[in-house]
């Protein structure tokens, strides 16, 4: 059991480092290409400082109070607006998994598709919640090969009992099927 926990913590840290460094690179690229002001350059430098501190704190993970909102804020710093439609999941576990997917798709939207919007749709099925993520960027030129970020996301989704599918024709689409487990709803949810 301790070995499994250690592996999960290591994977979580790898995901965090991947997300933070990738986020910093993309934010820096946006700042440099748009000739932004000194204030935004300093904010981007602060992102780098955060990313570097994560590398030194491998045993600690910064907990986000609300994963979907945190993922939306991170995407906005990359220049990607996240639009949510449908009934959002209420459990913290599902919200955290979807937040990982949003972060990865927002990064890939900027890096590979030059997109500015990410569309996240939720719908309830009898035994799970389905989630689709698409963007307004350029369509893929061929089949999408999973790199480190998508592979780690797939591993997290499948470890939780869910399924992940990637479509590249006619546009990019990431589909998730997440099993609902009894768990307390997110406490900040006032619906």
């Amino acid at each position: 059991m301790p070995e499994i926990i250690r592996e999960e913590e290591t994977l979580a840290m790898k995901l965090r480092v991947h997300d933070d460094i990738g986020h910093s690179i993309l934010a820096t690229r946006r700042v440099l290409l748009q000739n932004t002001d000194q204030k935004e350059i300093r904010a981007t430098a602060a992102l780098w400082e955060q990313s570097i501190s994560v590398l030194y704190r491998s045993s600690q993970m910064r907990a986000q109070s609300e994963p979907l909102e945190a993922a939306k804020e991170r995407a906005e710093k990359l220049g990607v607006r996240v639009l949510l439609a449908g009934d959002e999941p209420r459990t913290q576990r599902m919200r955290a998994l979807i937040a990982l997917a949003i972060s990865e798709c927002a990064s890939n939207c900027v890096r590979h598709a030059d997109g500015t919007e990410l569309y996240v749709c939720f719908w309830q099925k009898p035994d799970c919640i389905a989630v689709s993520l698409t963007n307004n960027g350029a369509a893929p030129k061929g089949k999408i090969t999973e790199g480190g970020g998508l592979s780690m996301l797939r591993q997290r989704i499948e470890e939780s009992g869910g399924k992940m599918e990637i479509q590249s024709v006619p546009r990019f689409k990431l589909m998730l099927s997440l099993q609902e487990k009894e768990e307390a709803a997110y406490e900040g949810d006032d619906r």
Side-chain angles (χ1 to χ4, degrees):
M1 188 65 156
E3 187 174 321
I4 292 171
I5 292 170
R6 194 170 26 259
E7 285 178 24
E8 285 182 1
E9 289 174 350
T10 300
L11 177 61
M13 184 53 59
K14 285 180 181 179
L15 278 170
R16 175 71 187 276
V17 169
H18 174 271
D19 288 349
D20 284 357
I21 297 293
H23 177 78
S24 297
I25 290 169
L26 292 172
T28 301
R29 176 180 175 240
R30 186 176 70 83
V31 165
L32 293 174
L33 290 175
Q34 294 182 354
N35 297 322
T36 55
D37 63 5
Q38 194 77 351
K39 181 180 177 185
E40 198 161 351
I41 291 170
R42 283 194 176 108
T44 302
L47 287 175
W48 276 105
E49 288 176 9
Q50 283 180 326
S51 297
I52 291 167
S53 72
V54 168
L55 294 172
Y56 291 109
R57 293 182 290 118
S58 62
S59 65
Q60 297 177 351
M61 290 288 292
R62 187 182 84 208
Q64 296 289 346
S65 60
E66 207 313 277
L68 291 181
E69 288 304 315
K72 284 174 65 175
E73 288 173 17
R74 289 181 61 130
E76 284 181 24
K77 289 179 184 173
L78 296 177
V80 177
R81 192 170 131 207
V82 177
L83 301 163
L84 305 176
D87 292 329
E88 296 175 17
R90 296 177 58 98
T91 65
Q92 186 75 358
R93 178 187 68 84
M94 292 180 90
R95 293 174 81 82
L97 287 171
I98 294 165
L100 288 173
I102 289 171
S103 294
E104 182 61 25
C105 288
S107 294
N108 288 343
C109 176
V110 171
R111 184 180 311 133
H112 301 295
D114 292 323
T116 58
E117 290 185 340
L118 181 65
Y119 312 110
V120 183
C121 298
F122 306 97
W123 67 96
Q124 197 68 43
K125 289 187 170 183
D127 60 341
C128 68
I129 186 164
V131 185
S132 73
L133 297 97
T134 59
N135 64 58
N136 69 340
K141 294 182 173 99
K143 184 179 179 189
I144 295 172
T145 304
E146 289 184 24
L150 286 173
S151 295
M152 284 190 272
L153 176 62
R154 178 179 296 283
Q155 184 176 353
R156 293 288 297 270
I157 297 296
E158 290 176 353
E159 283 176 351
S160 76
K163 295 178 185 169
M164 180 174 124
E165 178 186 340
I166 299 172
Q167 298 174 1
S168 55
V169 176
R171 302 196 53 73
F172 168 81
K173 182 185 257 187
L174 180 73
M175 295 290 301
L176 304 175
S177 294
L178 303 172
Q179 300 298 315
E180 292 190 289
K181 295 179 182 175
E182 287 300 315
E183 177 184 322
Y186 168 65
E187 291 184 19
D189 195 356
D190 55 358
R191 285 181 274 164

